[in-house]
Structures are given as structure tokens and as C-alpha cells.
Amino acid sequence: MAKALTKTQLVAALADELGSEKKAAAAALDAIISVISREVSSGGAVALPGVGKIYCRERPARMVRNPATGQQIHKDADKVVKMTIAKALKDSLNS
């Protein structure tokens, strides 16, 4: 598996792609992250064309097992962030 891009590497790649300075690319990336975080945390979803959809899903309360002891524990309901990958991105991997 290839190593993930760091934020610095992503900012540099965005700056090259946009033909702008790294400072402007970093500000744009921070703004996008802020919008996605705000929207998903309020229960909404964000669709990134060609990449996928990021959304919040609620999980009901349930019983889970502690793998170390095998003891059953009650876990309260919680929310998790999910992402559905776009078909275009999946198809680009195999072409």
C-alpha cells in the first residue's frame, strides 16, 4: 500500500495544480475541511464529485464483547462518519 499524502504534500500538489502559492492552497484546503466538518457534524452530507460522499450515520445502542476478557459490555448509541466512494473513482483504479 502506498503511503498517504501528508497535508504539506497535498498543499504543494494543490498549489502546482492551481498554479498558485502554497499559502493560498493551504487556505483553500483548510476552508474545504472546515465546511465538510461543519456540515457532517450537523447531520448533513457532502458530495465530492468524482470522489465520493461523506456523511454521518447513527449507530444504535448495542452489546459488544471485550476481546481480552470476553465480557459483554453495553455500548451507548453513537455517531460515526462514513464515506461512500464514487463509481468514477473506483473505475479509475482498474483502467
Side-chain angles (χ1 to χ4, degrees):
M1 176 182 257
K3 289 179 105 178
L5 284 178
T6 63
K7 183 177 179 182
T8 305
Q9 293 168 329
L10 183 57
V11 166
L14 281 173
D16 288 343
E17 192 73 26
L18 294 171
S20 66
E21 295 179 2
K22 288 182 183 179
K23 200 173 211 177
L29 181 61
D30 289 339
I32 290 169
I33 292 169
S34 174
V35 169
I36 291 171
S37 297
R38 184 173 55 244
E39 187 63 29
V40 172
S41 66
S42 69
V46 177
L48 300 172
V51 176
K53 180 179 176 182
I54 302 171
Y55 58 96
C56 179
R57 186 175 79 81
E58 293 186 21
R59 290 194 296 195
R62 62 201 182 278
M63 295 300 288
V64 297
R65 187 178 68 86
N66 180 340
T69 64
Q71 179 185 8
Q72 292 284 329
I73 302 169
H74 179 269
K75 184 162 183 182
D76 293 333
D78 61 352
K79 296 178 182 180
V80 292
V81 176
K82 293 287 189 172
M83 181 167 184
T84 304
I85 305 301
K87 184 176 184 324
L89 182 57
K90 288 179 191 176
D91 290 345
S92 72
L93 294 175
N94 295 317
S95 60

